[in-house]
Structures are given as structure tokens and as C-alpha cells.
Amino acid sequence: MDLFGPANKPEIRIQELTGERIRFILTNTDLSMANALRRIMISEVATIAIDMVQFDLNTSVLADEFIAHRLGLIPLDSTEADKIKYPRDCNCSGACKECSVELNLHVKCTEEDTTKDVTSKDLVSHDPRFTPITEGPKDAGILIAKLRKGQEIKVKCIAKKGVAKEHAKWSPCAAVAFEYDPFNKLRHTHYWIEEDEKKEWPQSKNAQDDFPPLDDEIFDFTAKPNRFYFEIETIGSMKPEDIVMNAFKKLLEKISSIQMGLHSNDVPINGREPTRDVF
Amino acid sequence: MDYSDNADNNNNNENPDENDSDLEVSDILNFHTEKGTVIDPQSMTFSISGEEHTLGNALRYMIMQNPEVEYCGYSIPHPSEDKLNIRIQTTENTTAINAMRKGLEDLKSLCAKITETFCEANNKFDEKNSIS
């Protein structure tokens, strides 16, 4: 298929893939496409996060809203986030099993002269698919609050599906690194220097995977970027390769919804015939 | 990096009285909400709500690849308005709507292609690492 010219036979080479990060090179595609991918991964891949907290009891030194905020930021396993509905798409009035997950937290400190840590491990989820993430049995969990003797926290949390566009707690990525043209051959950037550019500006890690300019290379002002270096680091709620796959899925969804919008516009516009029938 | 959009130079599209059909500025089509009238099928501004640079720039690029398209640019008129305008001007051989349709279709297949490529790369990577 050569619909899009020679610049669009995209290729991907994965350089590194672990439980929490992926590094890959995307080649032979346009900057706009690579950037769309980057933007979607940062802000539009859906995950599950605590969105509502009901305080039954809080005698800790921390204010309710402070604890609620901390609870919201705890990463929950979102590998099956697509099995759950967005609250706005659900028929229920508040929160039901199809659009939310309930988690409970009840901790009381009873010991003298020690502080008790309240961590994400104390959260009890009603749905085993959506639990706070842990890194093996030795993981102490994420600290939420510290209690002294007699202090107690009892809350009910409702976790919902959302995207980071609304609140960053729903972002599956801790960081998305994106680079092209590490040698600045395209001159898209200007390096401020004192004496010597090579000495003062260290090369990026991606430079070893790129093609260094020749000493007498002439500036090609028609050149376009076509090699993009990605590195995605997750917060643990989703596998890195799933984030990339879900980003593509989301982009396809966006296009389809516009196609549907365009289709529904085929009905006569303001009483006129659709314009495409003019020709 | 500069993300400045190819600003829509035809300011006459932005008239608030766009529903007044005797104004020649009313060639705005909104995919999701109101409908405009179309005077010239070769040059139209589409208005899409709920989308931003993510889709706007990629779609603009795809539409520009069409040799029948003379001009394509997008803009987000105001950051607090959930709106994306795409202006398309084509030659006599096609219409702006058709150019838009083709652009969307092409973008979809490119996206599907990259997804496929990524799956392959992922499988290849898994294989290589399970052997070693």
C-alpha cells in the first residue's frame, strides 16, 4: 500500500522492554503522527483511579481532603480498564459495578509509642481486577498517612475510569521521552554556546542510534524529521506495551467518531442538497 | 519544538452570524453540533468539537498529501473553546468534503499500519528475549 508516498512505510524497532518501561524508534512517518501518539499516551489513555472518598472517621493529624488527594494518586491496576464503563456512559445515577470499583480503608493504631503507617496495602478492593499495585511481596506499599495511638482512619473510596486530560492521576505514564534529530541536522533548535558547541552540549543517548552528520555536510533545508525516539515509563498501572497499543486504539476511535459525524452531515444541510451531489 | 498551527487565514469564516444564510461566510460545518450552509463545495471550514492538536495536526498532514488539495490548515480559535477548525480548499476535481473523507480514511489506514508494525516489533522482541 503506497497511499501516502514513500515517507509512510512506518517501521518500529523496540530497543528495551521491561515491566515499567519501553524504548522504541519509530521511523518513516511524519512528525504529526509521532506527536499524536505522544500526546495520546500522555493524556488520553484511560486508567482507573480513586475519584470519590467518603470519610466515616478520620482522627489522624491530616485533613480529610489531604488524604483524599493522596488516595486519588495511588496507581490501581488498570490492565482491564477497558472492561469498565466511563461514568458518563453508564445508566446508573451514582456509581455501580459497571462503572466503578469500591475500595475500603480502615486502620487504627493501638500500640503505644509507635507510629502506624497507613499504606496502599491497607486498601481492600471489592474487585480483584482493580487493586493497588505492588512490586512483589516485599513492597511496603505507598504511604498514605501515619497514625499515633488511638488515631483511626475509616474511608470508603470509589474508583472510576478516566483520562489524564481531566486529571493527571489518570495518566498511565510517569514520563514520555520524545526526541528526533539528536544531531540537530534539521536546525530545529538553536544551541546557546560560549565557545564550542561539541564541548558544551553533551550528546543525547539516542545519538548512537542516529546518523552523525559528515564534516562537510551541506544543510538540507527540505529535510523532514522521520526518525523518532520514544521512551515511555509507566507508573505501574499498565504494561508499557499496552499503553502504546491503547494509544493507537484511541486514535482510531477518534477518527471513527469524526467519520460518523461527517456521515451524519450527509443529510441536507440547511435544506439544501448535500454538496457532494453537485458534482 | 514549534507547534504553531497553520492558521486559518480566511477570517471571514469566523463570523458570529454564521447561521445567516445570506452571508457568504457561513461555510462552516460542525461535525458534532450545528450545521452551516455551503456556498462553495471546493472550499470549506469544518468545525470539530472535542478535538485538539493531537488529531488536528495529523489530519491536516494527511489531507495535504492529497494532490487535489490546494490548501489545508487547522486552528484552535480559542483555548477555552472546545473547538477545532479545519480549512480545506481543493481543485475543481474534487470537493472539500471528499478531501476530508479521504484524509480520514488515509489516516485510519496509516494508524492501523503502525499498530500492526508495533505488534510485529513487540512479538519479535518477545521471541528474541525468550531464546536468550
Side-chain angles (χ1 to χ4, degrees), chain B residues 10-29 36-40 43-45 87:
Chain B
N10 294 343
N11 290 325
N12 53 355
N13 301 320
E14 312 288 323
N15 198 301
D17 300 326
E18 60 194 48
N19 293 327
D20 254 327
S21 55
D22 52 345
L23 289 167
E24 60 163 300
V25 292
S26 45
D27 53 346
I28 290 194
L29 268 177
T37 55
V38 179
I39 301 277
D40 179 4
S43 44
M44 273 201 232
T45 301
R87 175 78 178 171

Side-chain angles (χ1 to χ4, degrees), chain A residues 158-226:
Chain A
I158 305 290
K160 287 179 176 170
K161 181 166 146 178
V163 291
K165 225 172 158 180
E166 192 181 328
H167 192 294
K169 70 183 174 187
W170 277 300
S171 181
C173 325
V176 178
F178 175 80
E179 187 182 26
Y180 63 90
D181 188 25
F183 293 104
N184 196 27
K185 285 190 278 191
L186 302 168
R187 303 194 190 172
H188 281 193
T189 189
H190 175 78
Y191 289 124
W192 183 90
I193 52 163
E194 282 187 341
E195 271 144 19
D196 185 13
E197 189 186 305
K198 282 205 172 114
K199 268 188 204 155
E200 290 162 37
W201 289 92
Q203 277 183 352
S204 100
K205 177 163 75 172
N206 296 322
Q208 51 196 307
D209 295 305
D210 212 89
F211 313 103
L214 307 167
D215 289 334
D216 55 348
E217 195 170 305
I218 303 158
F219 173 52
D220 179 3
F221 56 87
T222 58
K224 292 235 151 56
N226 78 334

